[in-house]
């Protein structure tokens, strides 16, 4: 591994690679074992070289955004966590049209909250729905993130991606197969580098008021005081996950330090130093109980890494007791 480490440092840049980096520091669940290597790349060239080194040495790698939809097991991740910095955290207005529409380009590593603040400062509307989502632009494009009636597909114009072979392409939004919490990006193995969004000139005070209203609604309804991955489950067609979980009698149900939020049943929270395995067990238990009471399998938005079984199962064991 020393040879690989040296090659990784050369690709990502000196001082940009750490060993045994705790993933509790990089996920919003605030738990998880260490990544064998953690690399922050500043440029497209560094990213291309880093991925190439991983492939040549057959070391697994994972593109990490804000870690807001990720649960890493206690044993950690036996590969390279790659995070985007430098040029991937820049933004610019690339075009202003006479009808008040503006093309806003931002790097994939930029937090949605920072894009929201930039849009507000520029008096641009259309991004308010996403400003409070705890993720990066790259992650938001990959999963077509949305909230409060808005989705990324409503504003995305194009996405700049890198293929597994290091080729860079500019793809129009219409080629991304965007639907509810889905795009073709992960299926094709693309890495999002940046995205162009179409926003509109608006009234700055009205934009600010809308952002503040959505922030208040989040704080009022969601358990933001505890670590979590946000909304844990995708919304089943025709239903609300939180309502199904509450109807199943699981509000406040816990496994170790993990708990179904008493404030909003759609959130699984790290209430008290929960181990990743406790959070996973709780999510599995919720899915099984809800299936038993409603016949609906809830699909988690959370991705698993560092577990022996890297996906959620469907055991239909619904014999649960509230702790």
């Amino acid at each position: 591994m020393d040879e690989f480490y040296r090659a990784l440092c050369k690709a990502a840049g000196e001082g940009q690679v750490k060993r045994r980096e705790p993933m509790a520091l990089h996920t919003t669940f605030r738990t998880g074992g260490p990544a064998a290597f953690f690399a922050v790349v500043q440029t497209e060239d560094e990213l291309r070289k880093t991925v190439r080194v991983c492939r040549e040495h057959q070391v697994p790698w994972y593109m990490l955004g804000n870690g807001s939809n990720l649960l890493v097991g206690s044993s950690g991740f036996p590969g390279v966590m790659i995070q985007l910095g430098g040029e991937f955290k820049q933004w610019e207005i690339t075009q202003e049209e006479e009808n008040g529409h503006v093309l806003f380009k931002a790097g994939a590593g930029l937090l949605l909250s920072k894009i929201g603040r930039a849009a507000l400062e520029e008096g641009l509307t259309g991004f308010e729905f996403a400003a409070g989502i705890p993720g990066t632009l790259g992650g938001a494009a990959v999963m077509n993130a949305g909230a409060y009636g808005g989705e990324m597909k409503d504003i995305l114009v194009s996405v700049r991606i890198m293929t597994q072979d290091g080729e860079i392409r500019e793809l129009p939004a219409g080629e991304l197969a965007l639907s509810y919490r889905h795009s073709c990006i992960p299926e094709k193995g693309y890495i999002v580098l940046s995205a162009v969004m179409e926003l509109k000139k608006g009234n700055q005070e009205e934009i600010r008021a809308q952002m503040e209203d959505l922030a208040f609604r989040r704080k009022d309804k969601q358990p933001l005081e505890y670590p979590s991955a946000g909304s844990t489950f995708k919304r089943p067609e025709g239903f609300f996950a939180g309502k199904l979980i509450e109807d199943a009698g699981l509000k406040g149900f816990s496994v170790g330090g993990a708990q179904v939020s008493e404030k909003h049943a759609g959130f699984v929270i790290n209430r008290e130093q929960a181990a990743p395995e406790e959070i996973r067990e709780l999510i599995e238990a919720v899915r099984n109980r809800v299936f038993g009471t409603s016949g609906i399998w809830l699909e988690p938005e959370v991705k698993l890494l560092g577990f022996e079984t890297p996906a959620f199962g469907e055991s239909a064991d619904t014999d649960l007791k509230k702790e």
Side-chain angles (χ1 to χ4, degrees):
M1 273 296 175
D2 285 341
E3 180 186 349
F4 171 72
Y5 175 68
R6 288 192 293 271
L8 184 62
C9 289
K10 184 176 179 180
E14 292 297 329
Q16 299 301 315
V17 181
K18 297 179 181 179
R19 280 178 152 173
R20 304 289 295 170
E21 178 72 358
M23 290 312 297
L25 301 177
H26 300 282
T27 62
T28 56
F29 265 129
R30 295 293 179 258
T31 188
F37 303 96
F38 190 94
V40 181
V41 296
Q42 311 293 323
T43 67
E44 291 181 357
D45 188 52
E46 288 180 356
L47 175 60
R48 182 187 290 107
K49 290 177 180 177
T50 297
V51 171
R52 183 184 301 138
V53 165
C54 292
R55 295 183 67 186
E56 288 175 350
H57 288 78
Q58 298 183 321
V59 174
W61 55 275
Y62 183 84
M63 292 302 304
L64 179 69
N66 194 41
S68 54
N69 275 67
L70 181 64
L71 182 63
V72 181
S74 295
S75 62
F77 178 63
V80 183
M81 283 285 179
I82 304 174
Q83 195 168 57
L84 303 177
E87 67 181 37
F88 298 105
K89 292 190 173 184
Q90 306 299 316
W91 66 269
E92 62 177 329
I93 293 174
T94 61
Q95 183 177 332
E96 295 189 35
E97 301 177 2
E98 292 182 1
N99 60 6
H101 289 238
V102 172
L103 295 184
F104 186 103
K105 180 180 180 180
L110 197 58
L111 289 172
L112 299 177
S113 58
K114 291 190 176 181
I115 296 176
R117 287 196 291 272
L120 173 61
E121 291 171 3
E122 296 292 331
L124 301 177
T125 185
F127 199 80
E128 292 90 333
F129 76 91
I133 297 174
T136 60
L137 179 58
V142 167
M143 67 173 292
N144 184 30
Y148 298 108
E151 293 180 291
M152 290 303 296
K153 69 180 181 65
D154 300 330
I155 58 175
L156 270 182
V157 175
S158 64
V159 172
R160 182 178 172 88
I161 62 93
M162 183 182 292
T163 69
Q164 294 289 307
D165 295 326
E167 179 187 357
I168 293 177
R169 301 179 190 169
E170 191 83 23
L171 301 179
E175 293 183 11
L176 300 178
L178 296 169
S179 59
Y180 178 70
R181 302 298 179 269
H182 172 269
S183 77
C184 69
I185 294 171
E187 298 161 12
K188 293 182 179 294
Y190 295 154
I191 302 170
V192 178
L193 307 174
S194 63
V196 176
M197 297 164 284
E198 183 176 32
L199 306 178
K200 300 177 183 177
K201 285 288 186 181
N203 181 283
Q204 192 175 52
E205 290 310 309
E206 291 178 359
I207 297 168
R208 188 191 312 276
Q210 185 175 1
M211 286 185 175
E212 290 177 350
D213 176 61
L214 294 181
F216 173 80
R217 289 162 65 181
R218 282 189 175 91
K219 186 175 181 180
D220 184 54
K221 300 292 185 182
Q222 300 177 9
L224 302 182
E225 64 272 29
Y226 293 104
S228 77
S231 181
T232 307
F233 302 96
K234 295 181 181 180
R235 185 180 67 243
E237 188 173 354
F239 298 90
F240 291 98
K243 181 68 164 54
L244 291 171
I245 295 167
E246 187 171 353
D247 289 348
L250 292 175
K251 209 171 190 180
F253 176 77
S254 62
V255 173
Q259 185 184 55
V260 175
S261 170
E262 295 174 311
K263 191 173 187 179
H264 190 312
F267 286 67
V268 168
I269 60 173
N270 180 353
R271 186 178 178 89
E272 190 174 355
Q273 298 180 330
E277 291 71 24
E278 292 173 338
I279 295 174
R280 177 177 184 168
E281 183 180 344
L282 178 57
I283 293 174
E284 296 275 20
V286 168
R287 298 182 72 226
N288 288 322
R289 170 66 70 84
V290 169
F291 180 77
T293 57
S294 68
I296 296 171
W297 281 117
L298 294 178
E299 183 180 351
E301 293 193 24
V302 179
K303 181 174 178 60
L304 301 176
L305 286 179
F307 292 87
E308 288 187 11
T309 306
F312 291 98
E314 297 180 354
S315 65
D317 178 7
T318 61
D319 184 20
L320 303 177
K321 295 182 180 179
K322 187 172 181 178
E323 297 182 356

